[in-house]
Amino acid sequence: MHEIQKISESEMEVMQVIWGYGQSLTSAEILQALNKKKSWKPTTVLTFLARLAEKGIITSTKKGKVNQYIPLISENEYKQFETYSFLNTVHKGSVKSFITALYEGDGITKDEIEELKKWFSQKAGE
């Protein structure tokens, strides 16, 4: 697998549509899905699709007169990339520092702490 590149918030909105669809789709289908939330211009969507292709996040294939867009990485792969990038950049790779920041900033509830304890216990037992 090639190195993943960071994508912008708008590119992420486009990718959410592509990942959510579960198969290849056209720019018109992407535009239609995006326009359910806010008004997007076709040229804007095409620009983001071109950028995502340049970054190696998606590819396109010609089917008849239209391009079909297909993700080259999964949503989970991108989430892992972003998580490790953030962890390394902001917390110098320390998971403890990250969790401490969440806890001390009231960004984590007692229920979530209990959920994490159970999850860590299960993982430790594997």
Side-chain angles (χ1 to χ4, degrees):
M1 159 141 310
H2 66 281
E3 187 175 321
I4 298 173
Q5 293 185 42
K6 189 166 181 61
I7 61 177
S8 70
E9 285 184 40
S10 294
E11 290 168 341
M12 178 59 94
E13 288 183 62
V14 173
M15 285 309 301
Q16 292 292 337
V17 169
I18 294 171
W19 285 321
Y21 198 76
Q23 59 188 24
S24 65
L25 65 169
T26 66
S27 60
E29 291 168 324
I30 296 168
L31 180 65
Q32 182 179 12
L34 289 169
N35 279 335
K36 290 179 182 176
K37 294 182 182 178
K38 66 180 184 182
S39 183
W40 290 67
K41 293 181 181 175
T43 53
T44 303
V45 173
L46 290 173
T47 298
F48 288 131
L49 290 169
R51 288 181 189 169
L52 288 164
E54 285 174 17
K55 293 177 180 183
I57 306 291
I58 63 172
T59 189
S60 65
T61 58
K62 195 84 160 167
K63 290 206 178 169
K65 294 182 178 184
V66 297
N67 284 330
Q68 294 279 325
Y69 295 91
I70 305 154
L72 293 174
I73 64 169
S74 70
E75 183 175 11
N76 192 47
E77 287 171 316
Y78 190 76
K79 284 180 182 179
Q80 287 177 344
F81 160 74
E82 280 283 13
T83 300
Y84 285 113
S85 177
F86 176 80
L87 189 65
N88 289 324
T89 302
V90 177
H91 295 281
K92 295 183 175 74
S94 171
V95 174
K96 182 180 178 190
S97 171
F98 173 69
I99 292 174
T100 299
L102 285 175
Y103 182 77
E104 290 176 354
D106 294 329
I108 190 167
T109 66
K110 290 183 190 249
D111 288 343
E112 290 170 322
I113 291 170
E114 288 305 314
E115 189 178 333
L116 284 170
K117 283 181 184 178
K118 288 178 188 174
W119 185 83
F120 279 120
S121 292
Q122 290 172 347
K123 289 294 179 185
E126 289 181 358

